Amino acid sequence: MSDLLLLELIGGLTLLLLLTLLAFARYSGLLAEVAVSAGSPPIRSVTVAYKFHMGPYSETGRLFTESCSVCPRLRSIAVYYDNPHMVPPEKCRCAVGSILSEGEETPSSELIQLYQKFGFKVFSFPAPSHVVTATFPYTTALSIWLAARRVHPALDAYIKERKLCAHPRLEIYQQDQIYFMCPLARQGDFYVPEAKEAERRSRGPAEASDPQVDGTGADTSDTSSVSLEVGPGSRETSAATLSPGVNSRGWDDSDTRSEHSYSESGASGSSFEELDLEGEGPLGEPRLSPEAEPLGAPKWPRELSTPEKGEE
């Protein structure tokens, strides 16, 4: 009789454990709807502190930890330039860091100096008129793993179906949401200097000597991106440990001529100007109709990576 009770107890505990794990996975976004759309961007122009990384995207977790440790209240951001399904891991390029300011706001010199003290560089990204975007819950560390396997495939399918020129791929970690964004315009302005330089080196001296062509294959003679330089400061930082782990990624993009970049395979893809607009986006601009007709060349595969949860 005691053996039967013991088996029933073990069975009950096992069932309870399974139900707990299922509830945790659901809370993390297992069943969350992934809606991909095209319209206005989820953020305005931003100034970011970043570190450039060339290598497996699975190694970027430490960069999220570093940036969040400097100032945990800031949002984390990552920009992925290459498709890990088509590029050797050691050649994948990305920039990871924190958003220092957004819109008309300018970051304080003290904040810039603090990040530069820890080896970060400062750069500004514009607000593109239209982007391909999606969101995913950011409630636990498991949310990042789930987003890597659910959102990027959805983005790839949306971009490929419509043959859009959408690159690079950005991830913004804001409170309880992860925002995914692929610019449909001004893509070259989202390439940090190190990414462009790596691209020039991979092309050889002929193209590298052309100042009108950046590492994305786009003309940047009138680029609006700005790199800020401030001398290192002496302010001490307090220790903090906030950073989710990293997952592998892969996606879709076009218009960048790198043989490794997301832009490469869809270089002749259609732009947002060729699509019908319907509704309004997050910033009040027209949103692209999900039924818009594809008008360009094809695009490519995908997967994902990891960031940090920081509040502004």
Side-chain angles (χ1 to χ4, degrees):
M1 191 65 164
S2 58
D3 290 342
L4 181 59
L5 289 176
L6 181 60
L7 289 176
E8 290 178 349
L9 179 60
I10 293 176
L13 292 175
T14 301
L15 179 60
L16 182 60
L17 177 61
L18 291 176
L19 291 175
T20 301
L21 292 176
L22 181 59
F24 178 75
R26 182 171 183 175
Y27 176 71
S28 299
L30 178 64
L31 303 180
E33 179 184 1
V34 178
V36 180
S37 61
S40 57
I43 59 172
R44 294 168 290 176
S45 58
V46 294
T47 298
V48 303
Y50 74 93
K51 282 189 177 182
F52 179 74
H53 172 76
M54 178 175 280
Y57 287 159
S58 60
E59 297 177 356
T60 59
R62 61 180 179 80
L63 299 181
F64 286 103
T65 300
E66 288 181 36
S67 64
C68 194
S69 295
V70 176
C71 191
R73 66 181 177 82
L74 297 182
R75 291 168 291 174
S76 294
I77 185 172
V79 187
Y80 296 90
Y81 299 109
D82 299 303
N83 188 330
H85 289 295
M86 302 180 71
V87 184
E90 67 276 8
K91 293 185 177 181
C92 288
R93 301 165 296 163
C94 69
V96 177
S98 300
I99 297 177
L100 304 182
S101 64
E102 180 180 358
E104 300 301 320
E105 179 188 1
T106 57
S108 67
S109 59
E110 291 81 6
L111 185 59
I112 293 177
Q113 290 172 355
L114 177 61
Y115 271 90
Q116 290 182 331
K117 176 182 177 181
F118 290 94
F120 288 82
K121 295 185 178 180
V122 180
F123 197 73
S124 293
F125 296 144
S129 56
H130 289 84
V131 300
V132 174
T133 184
T135 60
F136 195 80
Y138 184 31
T139 52
T140 70
L142 180 61
S143 299
I144 299 170
W145 188 88
L146 292 171
R149 284 145 186 81
R150 298 195 58 207
V151 179
H152 284 284
L155 286 171
D156 292 336
Y158 185 96
I159 294 172
K160 183 175 182 179
E161 178 185 346
R162 291 158 180 77
K163 301 180 175 64
L164 297 174
C165 170
H167 68 95
R169 194 154 292 187
L170 286 77
E171 295 175 6
I172 299 107
Y173 291 74
Q174 180 171 319
Q175 297 181 350
D176 60 352
Q177 292 287 318
I178 304 174
Y179 293 86
F180 297 84
M181 184 177 92
C182 307
L184 288 166
R186 305 182 69 178
Q187 291 98 333
D189 289 350
F190 288 85
Y191 283 73
V192 297
E194 296 87 343
K196 296 179 181 180
E197 181 58 32
E199 184 58 38
R200 292 191 186 99
R201 289 198 302 268
S202 70
R203 292 185 191 175
E207 289 188 73
S209 63
D210 185 355
Q212 298 299 310
V213 178
D214 67 2
T216 72
D219 188 330
T220 57
S221 56
D222 62 347
T223 179
S224 62
S225 297
V226 179
S227 180
L228 304 179
E229 292 295 337
V230 176
S234 58
R235 178 179 167 189
E236 291 297 324
T237 168
S238 59
T241 55
L242 284 114
S243 167
V246 173
N247 301 303
S248 60
R249 311 169 175 260
W251 321 305
D252 225 326
D253 287 325
S254 51
D255 191 52
T256 287
R257 285 160 46 187
S258 165
E259 60 177 325
H260 310 304
S261 73
Y262 279 117
S263 60
E264 207 246 348
S265 63
S268 59
S270 62
S271 70
F272 67 89
E273 294 159 329
E274 297 172 296
L275 298 174
D276 294 329
L277 298 179
E278 181 178 281
E280 292 187 350
L283 298 183
E285 296 188 14
R287 184 181 294 284
L288 298 183
S289 167
E291 305 303 325
E293 287 292 322
L295 291 175
K299 304 209 46 167
W300 32 320
R302 61 303 184 101
E303 244 209 72
L304 192 237
S305 143
T306 327
E308 264 296 26
K309 188 172 184 179
E311 294 187 21
E312 189 174 9

